[in-house]
C-alpha cells in the first residue's frame, strides 16, 4: 500500500533511503554462522552491517559479533531524578500551603515527605526505563523485515546490509560457510 | 544452537527414551530440546487438558460470586462505615500478597542465574496480569478507607494515625499511584520477558493471539542488540520492581492494618508482611507449576529440580515468617504497656485466638516438617503440598490482621480520631479490647471471589501467552548436560557470565 506523500517524506527524512540490500543467510548450527561472520569481516564488510538473529541469547562474543553499546542504564537515573524533584516540590508546596503542626513536628518534616518522594522517584525510574527499552530496542516496528521462521526452531540467521556491488560476494561467503538457504529482499 | 542441543539427550517423556540421568530419577533434570520447542508448546497450549477447564470455570464462578457479594455489600452497608469492609480489604490484601511478589521470583532467580528457575519464570511473570486486577480491587478499599483528617464540630481538625503527612486529607491518590506504578512495572517485565517468545510464536498461532503477538512483538528479530537490551531491561526493571513492591506492601499494611488499630505502632509489621508476601508468592508459583507438571501436560518440560531447589527457599521463608511472628509477639509481650497487651489480646490471645492458632498451624506447624523432609522435597510433591497449607494459612493471616484492623474502632473522636494537640497523651487506644467480627454471607462471597479472580485471570494469561519461558529454556539447554565424573553421571551446568 502506497504511503501518503507527506508520510513518505517524513519517513525518508527519518530513515534516508539506502542503496543497501538485505541478505539473510540461514545456518543450521552456530559454528557455521560464526564462520560466515568471520569471512564477512575478512571481506571488508563493516561489522555494523551484519547481525546474527537467534532464538535465544548466546553468550557474549560467542559468534564473533561486535560489541553493542547502549545507554539503557541512563534512563532510570533520569526518570528517578525527575520523579524525586516532583515529589519534593509537591510535598513541600502542599505542607507550606496548609501548615498544620502535628505532634510538635516541624511543618516541613522530612520523614513523611520521604514516602511521597520515594514513590515519585520509583514511578519516574520505572516509566523512563520502559521508554528506554522501547527506544533502545528500536521497537516497535510494524512491518517485519527479512526473517525466516526456521530461526524459531534453532537455526541462526545472519542478516547483512550489503552494498549492491558486494551482494554476490556476500551470498558466496554465506554459501561457502554452509548456509542452508540465502534469502534477499528483492 | 542446533548443534549444541542435538548433542543433548532427548527430554524425558517426550516420545524418546528417557535421558541419561545419573543417580537421580529420570525426571529430576529435564533438559528440553531447543528445536521444535516453540511449536510443541504452542500446540500443547491449543489442546487444553481438562484441569485447565476446571480452573477456568471455577475461577469464573467464584469471581461472579465475589461480584455479587460486593454489589450486595455495597447496597446494604454503603461505604460510610469502614468497619463493614474489613473482609473485603482482607480479600484484596490476600490477592495482592500472593500475586504482587510472584513476578519477583522470576527476577530474583534470574539475577542469581539459577538454571532451575527456567520452567518457573513465565509462571511467575503471568501473575503480573493479576496486578491489573489488583488496581480495580484496590479502588473500593480506598473508598472505604477513612480520611486522615476530618473536621470536628468545634471547627478544629481531628486526625488519625497515618504514615502520610497530615495535611493530606485522603492519601488515595498516592496509594493508587503506587499500585498503578507497581502494576505497570510488573506488566512491563512480563512484556519484555515474553517478547522473544511472542515473536517466535507469531507464525504458529492464529486469530486473536496472532494479532496480539504481532502488535506486542513487532520488530523483534533476536539481534544481539535486542537480546542485550532485553537482558539489561529485565535486570533494571527487576531491581525497580523489588524496590517498588516492598514499598507498596509497606503502604498497604501500614494504611489498611496498622493505622486502623488505635495505638498499634509496630516497626516489625511491614517487613513481616513483605516476608509473608514472598512466601505466598513462591507458594503460588509452585502450586501452579505442580498442576502444570502433574495434570497440565508439561511433565516433559518441568522436572523435579525446580521444586527441589525452590522448596529450600520456601523453607527459609517459612522460618522467616515464624521468626517475625515471634519478634512481633515478644516485643509487645515484654513492652507490657496497656495498649500493647490489648493488641496482643485482640490479634492473638483473645478475640481472634482461634484463627491465630489455625493460621500458625497452616503456615508453620504443618508445612515445616514437610519442607524439612529431604524425600518430600526431592520427589517434587513436598513443596506444592506445603504450599497448599501456606496459602490457606496466609488467607487466615489476612483475615486476622486486616478484617480485625478494620473492625477495631469506629471513625469518631476517641475511636480512630484525636486532636493533633493531644498527640503526646496517647489518645485513641484499643481499650477495651473489642470482640471478634465474623463474616456475613456477602463477606464470604467476596473472599471466594478473591480466590476466583486469581484463578480466572491467571488461566486467561496462560491462554494468551506462552506459559513457559521458551527462550530461557532454549538458553538453558545450551548450558546444561548430563556428563560423567569418575563413575557417576551428573548434571553439568555452564555459567558463561
Amino acid at each position: 500500500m502506497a504511503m501518503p506523500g507527506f508520510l513518505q517524506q517524513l519517513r525518508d527524512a527519518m530513515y534516508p533511503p539506502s542503496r543497501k540490500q538485505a541478505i539473510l543467510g540461514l545456518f543450521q548450527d552456530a559454528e557455521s554462522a560464526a564462520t560466515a561472520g568471520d569471512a564477512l569481516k575478512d571481506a571488508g564488510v563493516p561489522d555494523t552491517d551484519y547481525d546474527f538473529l537467534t532464538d535465544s541469547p548466546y553468550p557474549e562474543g560467542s559468534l564473533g559479533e561486535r560489541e553493542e553499546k547502549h545507554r539503557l542504564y541512563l534512563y532510570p537515573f533520569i526518570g528517578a531524578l525527575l520523579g524525586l524533584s516532583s515529589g519534593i516540590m509537591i510535598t513541600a508546596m502542599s505542607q507550606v500551603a496548609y501548615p498544620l503542626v502535628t505532634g510538635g513536628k516541624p511543618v516541613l518534616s522530612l520523614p513523611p515527605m520521604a514516602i511521597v518522594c520515594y514513590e515519585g522517584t520509583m514511578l519516574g525510574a520505572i516509566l523512563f526505563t520502559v521508554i528506554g527499552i522501547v527506544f533502545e530496542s528500536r521497537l516497535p516496528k510494524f512491518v517485519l523485515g527479512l526473517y525466516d521462521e526456521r530461526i524459531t526452531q534453532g537455526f541462526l540467521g545472519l542478516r547483512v546490509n550489503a552494498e549492491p556491488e558486494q551482494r554476490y560476494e556476500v551470498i558466496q561467503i554465506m554459501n561457502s560457510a554452509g548456509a542452508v538457504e540465502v534469502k534477499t529482499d528483492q | 544452537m542446533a548443534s549444541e542441543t542435538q548433542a543433548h539427550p532427548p527430554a524425558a517423556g517426550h516420545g524418546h527414551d528417557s535421558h541419561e540421568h545419573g543417580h537421580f530419577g529420570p525426571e529430576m533434570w529435564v533438559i528440553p530440546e531447543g528445536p521444535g520447542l516453540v511449536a510443541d508448546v504452542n500446540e500443547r497450549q491449543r489442546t487444553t487438558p481438562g484441569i485447565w477447564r476446571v480452573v477456568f470455570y471455577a475461577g469464573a464462578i467464584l469471581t461472579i460470586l465475589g461480584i455479587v457479594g460486593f454489589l450486595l455489600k455495597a447496597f446494604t452497608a454503603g461505604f460510610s462505615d469502614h468497619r463493614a469492609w474489613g473482609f473485603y480489604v482482607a480479600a484484596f490484601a490476600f490477592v495482592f500478597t500472593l500475586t504482587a511478589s510472584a513476578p519477583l521470583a522470576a527476577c530474583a532467580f534470574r539475577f542469581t542465574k539459577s538454571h532451575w528457575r527456567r520452567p518457573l519464570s513465565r509462571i511467575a511473570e503471568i501473575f503480573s496480569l493479576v496486578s491489573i486486577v489488583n488496581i480495580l480491587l484496590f479502588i473500593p478499599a480506598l473508598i472505604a478507607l477513612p480520611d486522615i483528617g476530618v473536621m470536628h464540630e468545634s471547627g478544629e481538625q481531628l486526625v488519625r494515625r497515618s504514615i502520610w503527612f497530615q495535611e493530606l486529607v485522603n492519601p488515595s491518590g498516592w496509594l493508587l499511584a503506587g499500585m498503578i506504578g507497581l502494576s505497570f512495572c510488573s506488566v512491563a517485565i512480563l512484556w519484555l520477558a515474553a517478547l522473544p517468545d511472542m515473536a517466535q510464536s507469531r507464525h504458529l498461532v492464529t486469530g486473536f493471539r496472532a494479532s496480539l503477538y504481532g502488535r506486542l512483538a513487532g520488530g523483534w528479530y533476536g539481534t544481539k542488540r535486542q537480546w542485550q537490551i532485553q537482558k539489561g531491561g529485565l535486570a533494571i526493571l527487576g531491581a525497580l520492581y523489588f524496590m517498588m513492591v516492598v514499598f507498596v506492601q509497606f503502604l498497604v499494611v501500614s494504611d489498611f492494618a496498622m493505622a486502623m488499630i488505635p495505638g498499634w505502632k509496630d516497626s516489625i509489621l511491614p517487613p513481616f508482611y513483605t516476608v509473608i508476601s514472598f512466601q505466598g508468592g513462591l507458594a503460588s508459583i509452585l502450586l501452579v507449576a505442580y498442576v502444570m507438571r502433574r495434570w497440565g501436560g508439561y511433565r516433559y518440560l518441568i522436572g523435579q529440580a525446580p521444586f527441589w531447589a525452590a522448596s529450600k527457599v520456601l523453607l527459609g521463608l517459612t522460618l522467616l515468617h515464624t521468626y517475625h511472628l515471634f519478634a512481633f509477639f515478644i516485643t509487645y509481650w515484654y513492652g507490657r504497656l496497656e495498649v500493647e497487651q490489648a493488641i496482643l489480646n485482640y490479634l492473638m490471645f483473645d478475640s481472634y485466638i482461634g484463627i491465630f492458632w489455625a493460621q500458625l498451624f497452616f503456615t508453620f506447624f504443618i508445612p515445616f516438617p514437610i519442607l524439612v523432609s529431604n524425600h518430600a522435597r526431592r520427589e517434587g510433591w513436598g513443596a506444592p503440598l506445603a504450599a497448599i497449607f501456606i496459602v490457606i494459612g496466609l488467607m487466615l493471616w489476612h483475615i486476622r490482621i486486616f478484617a480485625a484492623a478494620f473492625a477495631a474502632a469506629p471513625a469518631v473522636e476517641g475511636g480512630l480520631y484525636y486532636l493533633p494537640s493531644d498527640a503526646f497523651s496517647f489518645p485513641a487506644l484499643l481499650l477495651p479490647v473489642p470482640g471478634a467480627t465474623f463474616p456475613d454471607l456477602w463477606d464470604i462471597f467476596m473472599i471466594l471471589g478473591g480466590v476466583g479472580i486469581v484463578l480466572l485471570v491467571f488461566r486467561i494469561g496462560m491462554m494468551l501467552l506462552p506459559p513457559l519461558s521458551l527462550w530461557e529454556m532454549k538458553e538453558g539447554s545450551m548450558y546444561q548436560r548430563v556428563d560423567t565424573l569418575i563413575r557417576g553421571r551428573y548434571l553439568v551446568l555452564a555459567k558463561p557470565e
Side-chain angles (χ1 to χ4, degrees):
Chain A
M1 193 172 69
M3 267 187 191
F6 74 95
L7 278 181
Q8 185 66 52
Q9 282 174 15
L10 184 67
R11 186 172 182 241
D12 290 348
M14 288 172 69
Y15 307 104
S18 168
R19 289 174 63 238
K20 291 182 178 173
Q21 298 171 354
I23 302 167
L24 176 69
L26 202 62
F27 298 87
Q28 202 166 3
D29 60 86
E31 185 57 44
S32 309
T35 305
D38 292 342
L40 287 172
K41 210 179 291 175
D42 294 342
V45 177
D47 62 3
T48 49
D49 276 355
Y50 60 88
D51 263 318
F52 292 95
L53 313 183
T54 59
D55 65 342
S56 60
Y58 276 64
E60 295 288 320
S62 60
L63 299 170
E65 74 280 8
R66 68 179 180 275
E67 196 182 329
E68 284 283 358
K69 300 252 187 258
H70 63 81
R71 291 179 295 277
L72 182 62
Y73 296 95
L74 277 179
Y75 287 83
F77 286 110
I78 296 167
L81 271 178
L82 288 174
L84 176 64
S85 314
S86 311
I88 291 172
M89 273 187 356
I90 290 168
T91 49
M93 284 161 67
S94 57
Q95 292 200 74
V96 169
Y98 302 97
L100 179 65
V101 177
T102 306
K105 303 287 187 216
V107 170
L108 272 177
S109 307
L110 287 180
M113 284 171 70
I115 298 169
V116 174
C117 292
Y118 182 85
E119 184 167 341
T121 308
M122 296 308 301
L123 292 177
I126 291 167
L127 187 63
F128 271 68
T129 304
V130 173
I131 292 170
I133 289 165
V134 171
F135 188 74
E136 291 283 332
S137 307
R138 312 287 188 258
L139 293 171
K141 279 182 186 165
F142 297 106
V143 179
L144 192 62
L146 205 50
Y147 192 72
D148 191 288
E149 291 167 28
R150 280 170 288 181
I151 292 170
T152 69
Q153 298 161 10
F155 285 61
L156 285 90
L158 177 54
R159 195 174 57 188
V160 186
N161 287 320
E163 299 289 350
E165 54 272 20
Q166 286 180 310
R167 184 169 178 266
Y168 179 73
E169 187 185 8
V170 168
I171 293 171
Q172 280 283 87
I173 286 172
M174 289 192 179
N175 282 327
S176 309
V180 177
E181 189 181 340
V182 179
K183 291 174 163 183
T184 63
D185 61 356
Q186 290 179 343
Chain B
M1 177 77 191
S3 66
E4 299 280 347
T5 52
Q6 278 163 6
H8 291 160
H14 192 203
H16 307 280
D17 297 333
S18 62
H19 68 68
E20 301 168 77
H21 48 75
H23 65 281
F24 290 103
E27 295 188 31
M28 177 57 78
W29 294 305
V30 172
I31 304 171
E33 291 181 88
L37 186 65
V38 177
D40 198 15
V41 169
N42 273 291
E43 175 59 22
R44 203 159 287 269
Q45 203 178 359
R46 205 177 55 77
T47 53
T48 310
I51 184 76
W52 297 128
R53 283 193 211 103
V54 172
V55 169
F56 183 86
Y57 288 119
I61 291 166
L62 292 177
T63 302
I64 291 167
L65 271 186
I67 293 169
V68 169
F70 172 78
L71 291 175
L72 289 170
K73 188 81 179 181
F75 282 122
T76 54
F79 284 93
S80 54
D81 187 356
H82 69 278
R83 289 177 296 177
W85 292 93
F87 286 95
Y88 175 82
V89 171
F92 154 73
F94 173 65
V95 172
F96 172 68
T97 299
L98 290 196
T99 57
S101 290
L104 201 58
C107 302
F109 298 131
R110 204 175 272 138
F111 282 147
T112 56
K113 305 191 194 312
S114 311
H115 281 304
W116 57 263
R117 106 264 169 184
R118 295 177 191 279
L120 304 182
S121 293
R122 183 57 44 75
I123 298 169
E125 287 154 357
I126 289 179
F127 276 104
S128 300
L129 292 178
V130 186
S131 73
I132 299 169
V133 179
N134 283 341
I135 298 173
L136 298 177
L137 294 178
F138 197 35
I139 292 170
L142 289 173
I143 295 170
L145 189 69
D147 287 345
I148 295 173
V150 292
M151 205 55 78
H152 190 247
E153 291 162 352
S154 64
E156 275 194 279
Q157 191 177 31
L158 294 170
V159 293
R160 65 175 176 84
R161 286 200 174 85
S162 164
I163 54 168
W164 302 95
F165 51 100
Q166 291 175 331
E167 293 77 7
L168 201 65
V169 172
N170 193 319
S172 300
W174 289 105
L175 285 166
L176 193 60
M179 192 61 76
I180 291 172
L182 184 71
S183 173
F184 180 70
C185 189
S186 66
V187 171
I189 289 172
L190 172 64
W191 168 69
L192 193 57
L195 192 57
D197 293 342
M198 289 190 288
Q200 291 176 31
S201 303
R202 64 191 153 194
H203 311 289
L204 301 166
V205 294
T206 54
F208 176 71
R209 281 173 67 206
S211 160
L212 182 76
Y213 290 4
R215 284 171 200 277
L216 292 178
W220 178 274
Y221 295 94
T223 63
K224 187 78 194 174
R225 182 182 184 84
Q226 288 180 327
W227 283 117
Q228 272 193 345
I229 299 292
Q230 195 234 19
K231 185 175 139 198
L234 283 174
I236 296 172
L237 285 175
L240 293 174
Y241 188 74
F242 174 74
M243 295 165 78
M244 195 69 189
V245 76
V246 170
F247 173 70
V248 178
Q249 282 163 354
F250 161 72
L251 295 185
V252 167
V253 79
S254 300
D255 264 357
F256 290 85
M258 196 158 31
M260 302 306 291
I261 296 187
W264 192 8
K265 291 177 287 184
D266 188 359
S267 58
I268 293 168
L269 187 66
F272 185 11
Y273 187 55
T274 297
V275 167
I276 281 174
S277 184
F278 289 173
Q279 185 194 23
L282 186 58
S284 310
I285 293 166
L286 291 174
L287 270 179
V288 174
Y290 189 75
V291 172
M292 284 178 74
R293 175 179 146 77
R294 180 76 176 77
W295 298 287
Y298 292 97
R299 196 180 192 100
Y300 73 105
L301 290 174
I302 305 176
Q304 290 168 346
F307 299 98
W308 189 25
S311 62
K312 294 165 194 168
V313 182
L314 192 62
L315 174 60
L317 290 169
T318 301
L319 288 169
L320 265 178
H321 175 147
T322 312
Y323 159 70
H324 277 83
L325 181 67
F326 182 73
F328 160 72
F329 159 74
I330 201 76
T331 310
Y332 273 38
W333 187 77
Y334 264 122
R336 292 192 179 193
L337 290 176
E338 201 175 7
V339 66
E340 291 173 334
Q341 291 179 34
I343 288 168
L344 283 185
N345 284 334
Y346 185 50
L347 296 176
M348 285 181 163
F349 303 124
D350 186 0
S351 308
Y352 289 92
I353 185 170
I355 204 166
F356 166 68
W357 283 106
Q359 177 244 300
L360 196 57
F361 267 89
F362 278 116
T363 54
F364 181 70
F365 288 118
I366 301 175
F368 180 71
I370 297 172
L371 291 169
V372 162
S373 158
N374 197 36
H375 175 74
R377 286 202 309 253
R378 199 170 54 188
E379 290 301 308
W381 53 264
L385 181 64
I388 293 173
F389 292 112
I390 287 169
V391 169
I392 295 170
L394 292 187
M395 181 190 273
L396 298 176
W397 188 93
H398 284 80
I399 290 171
R400 185 171 68 83
I401 298 295
F402 285 91
F406 259 60
V412 295
E413 186 179 7
L416 285 177
Y417 291 106
Y418 58 91
L419 287 168
S421 53
D422 291 342
F424 292 119
S425 57
F426 297 103
L429 300 179
L430 187 71
L431 295 170
V433 178
T437 305
F438 294 93
D440 59 24
L441 187 62
W442 311 139
D443 291 327
I444 293 169
F445 277 15
M446 287 191 289
I447 291 170
L448 293 175
V451 176
I453 206 154
V454 175
L455 295 177
L456 182 65
V457 174
F458 192 89
R459 177 62 196 132
I460 291 171
M462 283 186 71
M463 287 154 73
L464 288 178
L465 297 167
L468 291 169
S469 184
L470 303 173
W471 66 269
E472 277 186 287
M473 296 187 71
K474 287 180 185 179
E475 186 192 32
S477 71
M478 276 197 287
Y479 297 145
Q480 302 172 75
R481 65 188 58 190
V482 177
D483 215 335
T484 304
L485 177 71
I486 312 173
R487 291 196 184 140
R489 300 281 292 168
Y490 301 95
L491 182 70
V492 181
L493 304 173
K495 294 207 174 185
E497 296 170 34

